[in-house]
């Protein structure tokens, strides 16, 4: 697949327009994959706030004596400076936490190192939304992956879904989407598992897609509000 050149000025335009950061939920087998994605996004010109929602990315790093809930209550978030932006140790946090908007100011995206059994990982309102799922050859991985895809399809959200990991397993999930899930949703799902550098290909595609996702969300939200008020 030919890669679309990254628009490295997109982040600057977003910050000037005060647009919300893109919201990325990563369901990876290891924390190293999440870090590799943020590094790839950085090479595309994006600054990331990497949130450790599983407690595995920054478990050994120096951090505040107080938990993330206490930090939010007092408006003092203990961020870790990283080459790709900043990191935050916040195991159990949910994607629609109101304080995240202020915390992510100055970043182009919020990257969650998330877990499939999270009770809720709703992204920030108004943000472009991405879900990235790593799939391996184990039947449990494929079944969990399909369950997540079905949940996303049923939600009706404007979202971009990327698969990576074992190429054959990703192809199997794509085929299952095409057979059982809504065609409109299936068109939002793609695989980078066949790329030589899956993370680089993914970062470039995300940077290219973000503007369209944000526009779709705003259009759908405007239509929803009009229906709600009988316009």
């Amino acid at each position: 697949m030919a890669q679309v050149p990254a628009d490295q000025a997109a982040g600057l335009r977003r910050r000037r327009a005060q647009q919300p950061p893109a919201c990325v939920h990563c369901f990876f087998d290891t924390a190293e994959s999440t870090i590799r994605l943020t590094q790839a996004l950085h090479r595309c010109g994006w600054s990331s706030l990497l949130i450790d929602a599983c407690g595995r990315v920054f478990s050994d790093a120096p951090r505040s004596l107080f938990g993330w809930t206490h930090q939010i209550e007092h408006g003092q978030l203990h961020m870790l400076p990283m080459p790709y932006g900043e990191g935050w140790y916040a195991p159990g946090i949910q994607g629609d936490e109101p304080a995240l908007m202020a915390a992510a100011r100055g970043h182009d995206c919020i990257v969650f190192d998330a877990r499939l059994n999270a009770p809720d990982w709703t992204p920030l309102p108004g943000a472009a939304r991405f879900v990235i799922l790593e799939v391996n050859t184990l039947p449990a991985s494929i079944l969990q992956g399909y369950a997540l895809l079905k949940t996303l399809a049923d939600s009706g959200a404007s979202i971009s879904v990327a698969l990576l990991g074992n190429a054959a397993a990703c192809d199997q999930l794509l085929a299952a989407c095409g057979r059982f899930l809504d065609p409109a949703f299936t068109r939002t799902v793609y695989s980078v598992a066949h790329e030589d550098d899956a993370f680089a290909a993914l970062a470039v595609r995300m940077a290219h897609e973000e503007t369209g996702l944000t526009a779709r969300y705003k259009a759908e939200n405007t239509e929803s509000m009009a229906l709600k008020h009988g316009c």
Side-chain angles (χ1 to χ4, degrees):
M1 180 180 69
Q3 292 186 8
V4 178
D7 181 359
Q8 300 209 12
L12 180 59
R13 289 196 299 270
R14 181 192 306 104
R15 288 190 288 272
R16 284 176 175 173
Q18 297 185 337
Q19 295 176 351
C23 191
V24 187
H25 280 85
C26 301
F27 300 99
F28 290 144
D29 290 341
T30 66
E32 287 74 17
S33 293
T34 309
I35 294 174
R36 288 183 64 187
L37 175 64
T38 57
Q39 292 170 338
L41 289 169
H42 181 71
R43 289 191 290 271
C44 283
W46 281 21
S47 171
S48 300
L49 170 59
L50 172 52
I51 296 182
D52 184 0
C54 291
R56 62 179 184 173
V57 181
F58 305 122
S59 59
D60 296 328
R63 55 182 181 268
S64 172
L65 294 175
F66 302 102
W68 64 266
T69 53
H70 183 279
Q71 295 174 43
I72 286 178
E73 289 170 359
H74 291 78
Q76 296 179 338
L77 308 188
H78 185 184
M79 301 293 184
L80 302 170
M82 295 292 168
Y84 46 76
E86 291 183 301
W88 189 30
Y89 183 78
I93 196 169
Q94 297 180 8
D96 57 354
E97 169 58 50
L100 287 184
M101 188 64 73
R105 187 177 296 116
H107 296 88
D108 299 305
C109 63
I110 301 177
V111 179
F112 288 86
D113 185 56
R115 61 196 190 284
L116 284 171
N117 63 345
D120 181 20
W121 32 269
T122 304
L124 293 172
R129 293 171 281 185
F130 300 89
V131 167
I132 307 168
L133 174 63
E134 183 175 3
V135 189
N136 59 50
T137 56
L138 295 176
S141 177
I142 297 173
L143 289 173
Q144 288 177 345
Y146 180 76
L148 174 62
L149 293 174
K150 188 175 185 306
T151 298
L152 293 172
D154 292 342
S155 73
S158 293
I159 201 163
S160 177
V161 185
L163 306 177
L164 55 75
N166 180 269
C170 291
D171 290 345
Q172 185 175 344
L173 272 184
L174 285 175
C177 284
R179 183 176 180 183
F180 299 112
L181 300 182
D182 181 80
F185 171 77
T186 300
R187 288 191 291 271
T188 71
V189 184
Y190 62 94
S191 172
V192 293
H194 293 277
E195 299 288 343
D196 293 334
D197 188 336
F199 292 97
L202 181 57
V204 170
R205 181 157 181 167
M206 288 168 62
H208 179 67
E209 287 185 338
E210 187 221 3
T211 301
L213 281 171
T214 302
R216 281 169 53 196
Y217 178 89
K218 288 181 177 178
E220 291 172 0
N221 190 57
T222 300
E223 181 180 356
S224 176
M225 290 299 293
L227 291 173
K228 181 178 179 181
H229 292 89
C231 298

